[in-house]
Amino acid sequence: MRNTTEQNITNLATERYGKVPDPRLRQVVTSLVKHLHGFVREVEPTEGEWLAGIQFLTAVGKMCDDKRQEFILMSDVMGVSILVDAINHRLPDAATPSTVMGPFHIHDSPDFDNGANMAVGAPGVPLVLTGTVRSLDGQPIANAIVDVWQPDGEGVYEAQKPGLDGSYLRGVYHTDKDGRYVIRTVAPIGYTIPLDGPVGDLVTRMAISPYRPAHVHFDVSADGYASVITHIFRNGDQYLDTDVVFAVKDRLVVDFVEQKPGTAPNGERMTTPYLTANFDFVLAPARVAAMSA
């Protein structure tokens, strides 16, 4: 493979990687080479621009740690995460649609009883989330796991609070025998993605909206069913049509209803106005989801 030229380098590279023993790795690498070479041929970057791209990716990697994943953020804002999600979750129409996990999920959240407050000390208007987890045929799913995380009423996640002792606005709930869940939290607000890193800098330079509409994240699972990672979005939020990570779906938009002081659905006595929202999750059987993939 000598005497490479602009005209023959792509064929030489794909021929080399076409001999990779593992068939899936061979498919991925040869396709990657073809598309990367196609991108370079289309854009014709200068050497300085190519170096700037390498420096950008290096900076993205350096921004990652155990609580922040800048590469996921980059994938999100490029629309790649939602595409990968759609390809891997071709669920029946009746099932709750999935969406991106985002860069701020933290494993091993604490367990909460139904109705317990996972937002103690967090700023924001009190919010009580209720609903059910059920199967495609409407049967309630008892003891389903409802893993929930969100930003607070100032748009801040746990991962963005350095020095925090303990968990913050995240928890794991379980449905009761009738498939019901009740979560006491605070209402999130729309917020910008982190702008202090290379991805935020790129978004700013492109002059696009860096905002996400107000939402709560969920990862809902149960034995024998395909889990769903999704959000619910607050109806009326000004950023629903310009979500920087392309994650809004109409079926996930929910009314946050203003309530007067009184007894909330979790049994708590509210002395100030609060909000309620209701959403029912519908899970497909694991075998059905596998056939749809």
Side-chain angles (χ1 to χ4, degrees), residues 129-289:
L129 300 170
T130 60
T132 62
V133 179
R134 55 186 175 83
S135 62
L136 290 176
D137 60 2
Q139 295 302 307
I141 302 175
N143 202 37
I145 297 171
V146 182
D147 184 352
V148 56
W149 68 102
Q150 64 167 93
D152 60 25
E154 296 176 349
V156 177
Y157 286 88
E158 175 180 315
Q160 297 170 308
K161 296 179 74 70
L164 180 71
D165 184 19
S167 63
Y168 184 75
L169 278 173
R170 60 185 175 96
V172 175
Y173 293 78
H174 293 80
T175 57
D176 65 15
K177 61 182 179 63
D178 297 314
R180 296 176 299 187
Y181 70 88
V182 183
I183 299 166
R184 164 66 160 91
T185 182
V186 294
I189 64 168
Y191 61 87
T192 66
I193 60 167
L195 298 176
D196 60 338
V199 175
D201 180 62
L202 179 63
V203 167
T204 300
R205 290 181 61 190
M206 293 190 297
I208 63 172
S209 171
Y211 280 89
R212 298 222 60 210
H215 62 275
V216 178
H217 294 265
F218 290 88
D219 181 356
V220 182
S221 59
D223 289 342
Y225 293 88
S227 61
V228 61
I229 295 171
T230 194
H231 305 12
I232 61 170
F233 297 91
R234 184 172 184 174
N235 195 15
D237 190 284
Q238 62 182 314
Y239 304 116
L240 286 174
D241 293 324
T242 57
D243 181 14
V244 68
V245 305
F246 306 96
V248 177
K249 300 178 181 181
D250 286 341
R251 287 174 56 195
L252 302 176
V253 178
V254 179
D255 290 327
F256 283 32
V257 182
E258 295 184 6
Q259 306 288 352
K260 295 179 180 180
T263 303
N266 67 331
E268 181 180 352
R269 179 69 182 176
M270 299 289 190
T271 59
T272 61
Y274 66 100
L275 298 168
T276 58
N278 185 271
F279 189 82
D280 294 335
F281 295 95
V282 180
L283 303 185
R287 66 180 186 280
V288 173

Side-chain angles (χ1 to χ4, degrees), residues 24-101:
R24 179 58 173 169
L25 181 59
R26 180 171 65 245
Q27 178 189 18
V28 170
V29 174
T30 54
S31 180
L32 178 63
V33 167
K34 289 178 183 178
H35 286 281
L36 279 176
H37 284 221
F39 166 76
V40 171
R41 293 180 190 280
E42 178 182 344
V43 175
E44 295 189 340
T46 66
E47 290 175 324
E49 289 171 337
W50 189 247
L51 178 60
I54 291 172
Q55 291 171 334
F56 171 78
L57 293 176
T58 302
V60 170
K62 288 181 177 179
M63 203 73 188
C64 299
D65 57 30
D66 60 344
K67 286 194 173 183
R68 176 167 177 172
Q69 235 301 346
E70 193 81 354
F71 270 111
I72 290 179
L73 185 61
M74 183 177 76
S75 175
D76 288 350
V77 303
M78 294 295 179
V80 176
S81 295
I82 196 69
L83 176 59
V84 172
D85 176 83
I87 290 170
N88 283 272
H89 298 93
R90 293 168 176 150
L91 299 170
D93 290 342
T96 297
S98 63
T99 188
V100 296
M101 174 172 280

